[in-house]
Amino acid sequence: MKITREFFQRDPLTCARELIGCELVWNQTGGVIVETEAYSVRNDEACHTFTRPSSRGFVAEKPPGTAYVYLNYGMYWLLNFLVKGGAEDGFVLIRALEPTRGIEEMRRRRGMNELKNLCSGPGKLTRALAIDGTFHGQDFFAASEPILHAPPVPPEISTGPRIGITRAADLPWRFVAAGSRFLSAPMKNR
DNA sequence: ACACGGATACTA
DNA sequence: AGTATCCGTGTC
């Protein structure tokens, strides 16, 4: 089932949860999303909109579902989707995939053989799918080819605190496919 | 444990 | 122009 723009016209927590299990495909490479994080424009000091005026402008101007891609630590592109038009605006960060498409091509781009290491992190999966800064602001729902597909059956989900942040580090806004071996880090039980 | 690396947004 | 911070990864 194809994901439409309306999917992203809800709050970030709902979108982050329901993206787990969806297949993300770009140019014959991709996988099933097994880890996401929600970021909210309101009451979330970890969201880019809290410290970046350019990010607030992005939310104001772009339609829901737009790709928000930025360079972190000077080396790794991180992929988010803009969530807008529901109870809260914000972003969903895509943190890990279970590889399904173009595995040999992703192995080449990553210089890695082990399947569980290809897309098990937000910086890894963008490199595997060849996503970079040119994707920032791109509206995938204006294109003909869908890049997101909903699963026939929603997977079981675990939640916990987000990874790698300093502000609002206590909020349990990380979502993973329960028991997946393709995560960026193990989920703490709660 | 540590180095790597650059955009963004501050200060002045 | 100088500084602080940042949603990470591979190798040490």
Side-chain angles (χ1 to χ4, degrees):
Chain A
M1 190 69 178
K2 176 181 168 181
I3 300 273
T4 62
R5 189 186 301 282
E6 287 70 33
F7 182 95
F8 294 97
Q9 294 178 339
R10 300 177 298 169
D11 65 280
L13 287 165
T14 300
C15 289
R17 173 179 289 272
E18 295 199 11
L19 277 171
I20 300 297
C22 293
E23 190 177 34
L24 171 66
V25 180
W26 186 247
N27 283 343
Q28 319 291 342
T29 52
V32 174
I33 299 172
V34 294
E35 178 176 345
T36 62
E37 285 176 359
Y39 290 83
S40 179
V41 167
R42 282 176 54 81
N43 301 321
D44 180 11
E45 296 193 358
C47 189
H48 273 190
T49 52
F50 187 75
T51 53
R52 299 192 183 191
S54 60
S55 180
R56 294 192 283 273
F58 189 95
V59 174
E61 292 172 11
K62 304 294 187 180
T66 303
Y68 180 89
V69 181
Y70 75 98
L71 187 65
N72 199 26
Y73 296 116
M75 274 165 288
Y76 300 104
W77 295 103
L78 271 56
L79 171 65
N80 301 255
F81 288 102
L82 174 61
V83 173
K84 183 178 173 182
E88 305 268 327
D89 294 346
F91 300 93
V92 176
L93 170 67
I94 309 301
R95 284 196 59 90
L97 309 176
E98 175 175 346
T100 56
R101 312 266 192 119
I103 289 172
E104 288 312 311
E105 178 63 24
M106 294 197 290
R107 281 191 169 120
R108 212 168 308 130
R109 289 169 178 161
R110 290 272 296 118
M112 294 267 173
N113 286 325
E114 269 202 88
L115 205 61
K116 70 176 190 341
N117 288 338
L118 288 187
C119 302
S120 55
K124 297 178 185 178
L125 69 91
T126 53
R127 187 154 294 180
L129 304 205
I131 290 172
D132 61 17
T134 62
F135 282 60
H136 184 57
Q138 191 160 326
D139 183 3
F140 291 111
F141 296 96
S144 54
E145 281 296 305
I147 65 157
L148 286 169
H149 304 266
V153 177
E156 186 182 339
I157 308 242
S158 300
T159 65
R162 295 175 292 184
I163 291 181
I165 57 173
T166 54
R167 297 184 298 263
D170 52 321
L171 296 176
W173 287 4
R174 179 187 183 212
F175 299 86
V176 307
S180 172
R181 67 188 189 97
F182 298 94
L183 306 181
S184 68
M187 174 63 80
K188 297 178 183 175
N189 292 328
R190 61 166 53 218

